[in-house]
Amino acid sequence: MSYTETIGSRTYRFADLKTLLAKASPQRSGDQLAGVAAASEEERVAARMALAQVPLRTFLNEALIPYESDEVTRLVIDDHSPQAFAEISHLTVGDFRNWLLSSTTDAEALTRIAAGLTPEMVAAVSKLMRNQDLIAAARKRPVITRFRNTVGLPGHMSVRLQPNHPTDDVKGIAASMLDGLMYGCGDAMIGINPASDNLAAITRLLLMIDDFRLRYQVPTQSCVLTHVTNTIAAIEKGAPVDLVFQSIAGTEKANAGFGISLALLQEAYEAGLSLKRGTVGNNLMYFETGQGSALSADAHFGVDQQTCEVRAYAVARKFNPFLVNTVVGFIGPEYLYDGKQITRAGLEDHFCGKLLGVPMGCDICYTNHAEADQDDMDNLLTLLGVAGINFIMGIPGADDVMLNYQSTSFHDALYVRDVLGLRRAPEFEEWLESMQITDARGALLSASPQQPLLEGANDWMGTV
């Protein structure tokens, strides 16, 4: 089905829904690289005007990637709930935007319709929204998950403590971990990107974190971000695996490039569940995504990068994840050129994930060859804090010495919590107070050798 829109004396024609969505997207370098972006701002406006008139039902009848050849499309269609969709089934994309922003649409309503939404519907409505719309609508939709603590409660924001090391030196990682905990970070998880995929090294890191967690009774969860097949192998060998990690994308071909399928993710999910390591809940999958991953794998099929990204959230949703992280600026300026594009993408990803019922966090980051700097990250951090982000990254000095990119620091987390009044996961906050790291309000106390964590740190480090 084709779509048309006239502006003045000029009529724009869009061959199909896939083309219409791509042309309606805000400007970004990845879509230009793929050759799917609007040729002018006028064409972009025409596409948005046409998109606003498309009934939501259309997305159930016009697949962007054929059902027969893509298992993500099959997942989206087969898991769609007509009952949840019924409440909004009469709306166009433009009407849906207005409904989302209405003062009468609340968290209960957004939760009620989530299973009736496809990623393409959600991507479409995001293209009609200003940044403030993305913030306002996302803020209405908390997504709460539980493992050893509770993440995503309204008025809360958690931090993934990321103590990476370029050689996987266990003492170096342990020192960064202690540093982050003393700043009150780590309630989302303690998550290490290993420099090696060696199973023995991965197991050593898991054992180190688990030994620390048990010694100090820390109500958090750990993860070593290795390929899911390595995690399954580690589970089979009795390693203390909490969260199961995998990078995912929005097409079957892109996921095959990661060496995964939906069946493999199901196997990993069941392996994680079999350990029964959660105490307050059993959400245990940790997924990472990022706009441009399908394009970089030549697996986008002409679909714009933001719509491909939202399809990845449908994959995540299938496995009841504890955390989903859009690593927004990590792939580079070929996909998100500058601070403006990174900011827009971060707000889109958070809104779209939350609308689908996914517990979204964001690695607010950029590579050193992008047209961005830490002021851009400060802006996005503040906006996502207002929008109700579930978690952000906590990295020593905001500079990851293993992955070589710029993110957010332990101090950045303190800033955004202070200015927006955001608390940590309640179980973790109670622990911080018991360890004399924070007071009852969650504010940091001055460090002293008598603090329980510091008092025993040297002895523990000697065992690492």
Side-chain angles (χ1 to χ4, degrees), residues 188-237:
M189 69 167 173
I190 300 170
I192 303 166
N193 297 85
S196 165
D197 267 341
N198 178 278
L199 187 58
I202 291 162
T203 302
R204 187 162 59 249
L205 294 175
L206 287 167
L207 288 168
M208 181 271 290
I209 302 175
D210 205 52
D211 175 68
F212 178 86
R213 180 188 66 80
L214 291 170
R215 180 176 297 211
Y216 291 98
Q217 295 297 298
V218 192
T220 191
Q221 35 284 320
S222 65
C223 185
V224 175
L225 282 67
T226 185
H227 192 271
V228 69
T229 52
N230 288 333
T231 303
I232 293 171
I235 290 171
E236 290 172 347
K237 290 182 178 296

Side-chain angles (χ1 to χ4, degrees), residues 2-319:
S2 63
Y3 302 86
T4 62
E5 186 64 44
T6 300
I7 297 180
S9 60
R10 183 165 185 179
T11 297
Y12 290 89
R13 291 181 173 81
F14 308 98
D16 50 27
L17 189 56
K18 176 168 59 178
T19 303
L20 182 63
L21 286 166
K23 302 291 188 184
S25 286
Q27 184 179 19
R28 60 203 57 197
S29 51
D31 289 340
Q32 292 171 320
L33 181 65
V36 302
S40 66
E41 286 302 317
E42 184 173 278
E43 184 181 28
R44 184 171 287 112
V45 169
R48 290 174 179 171
M49 292 170 67
L51 181 60
Q53 300 170 53
V54 175
L56 291 179
R57 288 185 179 277
T58 303
F59 294 92
L60 300 175
N61 302 317
E62 189 175 343
L64 306 188
I65 302 172
Y67 181 94
E68 297 76 16
S69 60
D70 186 90
E71 68 173 0
V72 177
T73 300
R74 292 195 291 275
L75 171 68
V76 168
I77 298 301
D78 294 349
D79 281 11
H80 180 259
S81 168
Q83 293 77 21
F85 182 59
E87 185 172 345
I88 56 168
S89 62
H90 62 290
L91 300 178
T92 65
V93 177
D95 294 333
F96 185 39
R97 173 191 175 275
N98 295 339
W99 184 85
L100 289 169
L101 296 172
S102 169
S103 60
T104 60
T105 300
D106 57 12
E108 182 180 350
L110 293 175
T111 303
R112 198 166 55 237
I113 67 163
L117 296 174
T118 69
E120 292 82 2
M121 293 176 193
V122 173
V125 75
S126 76
K127 297 175 193 298
L128 305 184
M129 291 179 142
R130 294 170 58 185
N131 286 2
Q132 67 173 251
D133 299 335
L134 297 172
I135 294 167
R139 187 175 175 84
K140 295 182 182 183
R141 178 54 164 113
V143 179
I144 300 165
T145 56
R146 296 176 173 87
F147 189 74
R148 285 200 193 92
N149 60 27
T150 306
V151 170
L153 292 166
H156 292 66
M157 185 198 74
S158 297
V159 176
R160 171 190 160 187
L161 173 49
Q162 184 170 303
N164 294 345
H165 192 279
T167 64
D168 288 341
D169 181 82
V170 178
K171 286 188 182 295
I173 290 171
S176 292
M177 182 178 72
L178 285 167
D179 187 28
L181 288 166
M182 291 302 298
Y183 280 102
C185 294
D187 51 338
M189 69 167 173
I190 300 170
I192 303 166
N193 297 85
S196 165
D197 267 341
N198 178 278
L199 187 58
I202 291 162
T203 302
R204 187 162 59 249
L205 294 175
L206 287 167
L207 288 168
M208 181 271 290
I209 302 175
D210 205 52
D211 175 68
F212 178 86
R213 180 188 66 80
L214 291 170
R215 180 176 297 211
Y216 291 98
Q217 295 297 298
V218 192
T220 191
Q221 35 284 320
S222 65
C223 185
V224 175
L225 282 67
T226 185
H227 192 271
V228 69
T229 52
N230 288 333
T231 303
I232 293 171
I235 290 171
E236 290 172 347
K237 290 182 178 296
V241 172
D242 288 344
L243 304 186
V244 177
F245 164 78
Q246 183 57 49
S247 293
I248 57 173
T251 72
E252 180 178 345
K253 184 179 178 183
N255 282 325
F258 286 135
I260 61 167
S261 64
L262 296 180
L264 181 59
L265 293 178
Q266 183 67 36
E267 180 185 349
Y269 178 48
E270 291 173 2
L273 287 174
S274 72
L275 298 179
K276 298 180 180 179
R277 290 175 59 84
T279 55
V280 298
N282 60 1
N283 301 112
L284 55 80
M285 299 299 284
Y286 173 57
F287 294 117
E288 287 193 344
T289 68
Q291 289 194 26
S293 58
L295 173 58
S296 67
D298 191 26
H300 62 103
F301 303 96
V303 179
D304 69 272
Q305 69 179 36
Q306 189 245 343
T307 302
C308 280
E309 170 74 0
V310 186
R311 284 168 57 94
Y313 305 155
V315 175
R317 179 171 64 174
K318 177 70 174 175
F319 301 101

